[in-house]
Amino acid sequence: MLGAGILKGLAETARNFLGSYVDKDRLTTVQFPEERAPRIEASRNFPFLVYDGTAKQEGLRCVSCLICEKECPPKCIFIEKSTDKKPDATGKLQFYPATFNIDISVCMSCQICVEVCPFNAIKMDVDFELSTTDRFSDLLWNKERLAKSNEYYREIHPIEAAAVDAELAEARARVAGAKAVTTSPPAQPSSGSSVEK
Amino acid sequence: MTPETIDQIFVISKHWLLGYMPTALQPIGSAILSVVPVLVVFPLLFAITTVLERKGLGRIQNRYGPNRVGPYGFWQPIADGIKSLTKEDVVPRTADQVVHFLAPLLLVLAAFLGYAVLPIGKNMVITNLNAGVLFFFAVGSMVELAVFMAGWSSRSKYSLLGAMRAVAQMISYEVPLVLAAIVIIMASGSLSTVAIVNMQATYTGIWPHWFLFTPWGFAGFILFMIAATAESNRAPFDLPEGESEIIAGYYIEYSGFKFALFFLGEYLGMFATSGLAITLFLGGWAAPFSFLTWIPSYIWFFLKLLTLIAVFIWVRGTFPRLRMDQLMGLAWKFMLPMTLLNIFTAGIWHFIPEGILRWLVCSLLIVAPWILLSRGLKQRKKLQVRTYRFAE
Ligand code: SF4
Ligand code: SF4
């Protein structure tokens, strides 16, 4: 008969209505600015630059190789290479970015810059409260604003950061080993880096 | 003060105020004093309803609903009002400026005109027209004109099609709406809303003589409320707006306060038709039991109105929007035959002498077609089982 399903539906909504006053578990709303849902490790949205140690600008891992700038699909990364070099984390002399800007209004959070970076210098952040009052200057993030410490990275993506740290430690060990090897008779192939030097 | 004076306090104070006016000004003064309260109370009720509705719908979906502005979010309507006032009023360049401007005003005006014949309390009606019910339906159909003006003057195909849909729906449901009300006119022998309420405000023992408590009255009330929901474009009949399909339909080209006026008009129309349903079926301002008559009549009216609004919200929170063909099918294949049969039943009721027999006969006359119609209209479609090979 027409009406039985209607009454059933009405009973269900009435139960929800009354139940939400009695049983607090029904209300799953997270009241945002005060309450926050637990942060999920896999979440990501905008890239940031990782720095090691405490020096915010000097410790940047980025060596200004421009790969991410080339690969970024919407072309929202703008890098200017430095003219001088300075020692990187492993003590090797490297270029560093004189400017490193990302237009976050264009960035589409594709993570490609992160995937292509050979130096683990750029990673995805989880910060989502990015609203600004000025759409012209506040949306173009410079080096200062993009730099975040490795500790922060470990905090937001613990598993990923542990892997990166292990990889970097291994690379450092290899460099240290190679240095030790270069003092003994050279075992390197004859062609290679000697040409560049 | 006796209960009688409290009940009549507004009427008495109006006459007291009129006493200070020169006689020549008294008719116009009396009109203003009757109209202004309606212009204040019902928009205020609209403001309260918007926040209650949002909270109610929230609770139905296990959410909190608005709870930020003011205590428990009850100042939300003020914030909404300020917002809609400060929004830019965008008018399409090709739109018919005059008609585009007049449409929302006409809609609100049409919604307000119906209140002229609603008895809000004992002796509290703006005009006691002899053809009150007829007047109500006549001005109610002005809404269709306003809707079409809005859709046509926007010079947009979206809004024009939206207006066509809206008008088609409103006209289709106006037929069962009026036919469902006819049983009351038959029973009371009057088109005056005041006379209809007075007839119901009598009691047998403690029980009132509401038309709801008869088989045809009950069926009429249900049919009337279904048609009223469709007539005021409320869910599940909110196809004219159809925000998921046609994006606000006929008022798509309206912004800011004009949009708010459409909203206001919709709610005022809902209150007016609910008020008429109360007047026709639920005894108007009459108390539900004879021992409760000491409570002022206008309080009863507004209690009943709030109950009906609560039901409207409940229904809105429960049912999904219908499809256009389902909607028209319901209007013409189910509502129309049922209302016609209901008129017939009311006639039979009149001729069978009082007793258990007429209850049985009339109930059967309504329940049997109800079951048969709903069975017969059930579409038995053989649905093919679809396999999605790519999604395995
Ligand atoms: S996440 Fe994608 S779009 Fe954003 S900066 Fe990196 S490569 Fe460009
Ligand atoms: S962030 Fe990585 S890929 Fe981009 S320039 Fe720096 S080192 Fe190269």
Side-chain angles (χ1 to χ4, degrees), chain A residues 3 36 41 51 59 64 66 95 124-125 128 134 139-140 157 161 177 181 193 197:
Chain A
R36 265 145 210 274
E41 204 192 326
Y51 67 85
S64 190
L66 307 183
F95 289 109
M124 292 307 262
D125 203 347
F128 55 89
D134 180 355
L139 292 174
L140 187 70
H157 299 306
V181 167
S193 55
K197 285 165 187 168

Side-chain angles (χ1 to χ4, degrees), chain A residues 29-38 128-129, chain B residues 64-65 67-69:
Chain A
T29 315
V30 177
Q31 305 233 45
F32 166 62
E34 300 97 45
E35 280 176 49
R36 265 145 210 274
F128 55 89
E129 287 153 289
Chain B
Y64 286 102
N67 62 354
R68 295 281 147 166
V69 194

Side-chain angles (χ1 to χ4, degrees), chain A residues 1-3 5-7 9-11 13-14 16-17 19-21 24 26-29 31-35, chain B residues 55-64 67-68 311 314-315 317-319 330 334 367 370-371 374-375 378:
Chain A
M1 189 173 131
L2 188 78
I6 290 175
L7 293 180
L10 285 173
T13 42
N16 271 351
F17 180 81
S20 71
Y21 285 101
K24 285 279 167 240
R26 278 173 174 270
L27 296 159
T28 51
T29 315
Q31 305 233 45
F32 166 62
E34 300 97 45
E35 280 176 49
Chain B
K55 286 182 93 62
L57 288 179
R59 288 293 173 162
I60 281 173
Q61 294 160 357
N62 292 322
R63 293 185 285 111
Y64 286 102
N67 62 354
R68 295 281 147 166
V311 174
W314 186 11
V315 166
T318 307
F319 301 114
L330 183 71
F334 184 76
V367 173
W370 182 288
I371 294 174
S374 52
R375 284 256 169 102
K378 206 185 261 174

Side-chain angles (χ1 to χ4, degrees), chain A residues 77-121:
Chain A
I77 304 182
F78 309 98
I79 305 172
E80 248 172 55
K81 227 172 186 165
S82 61
T83 45
D84 56 330
K85 291 186 178 183
K86 59 176 191 189
D88 72 350
T90 59
K92 216 168 117 189
L93 280 178
Q94 292 280 18
F95 289 109
Y96 60 92
T99 50
F100 194 116
N101 293 346
I102 297 183
D103 188 345
I104 62 159
S105 61
V106 177
C107 172
M108 60 184 193
S109 312
C110 64
Q111 205 180 350
I112 287 178
C113 50
V114 175
E115 303 296 336
V116 296
C117 177
F119 298 90
N120 281 313

Side-chain angles (χ1 to χ4, degrees), chain B residues 145-164:
Chain B
L145 182 64
V147 162
F148 198 73
M149 274 165 70
W152 177 78
S153 68
S154 298
R155 295 275 194 278
S156 150
K157 288 188 179 64
Y158 258 117
S159 60
L160 186 63
L161 288 173
M164 300 282 254

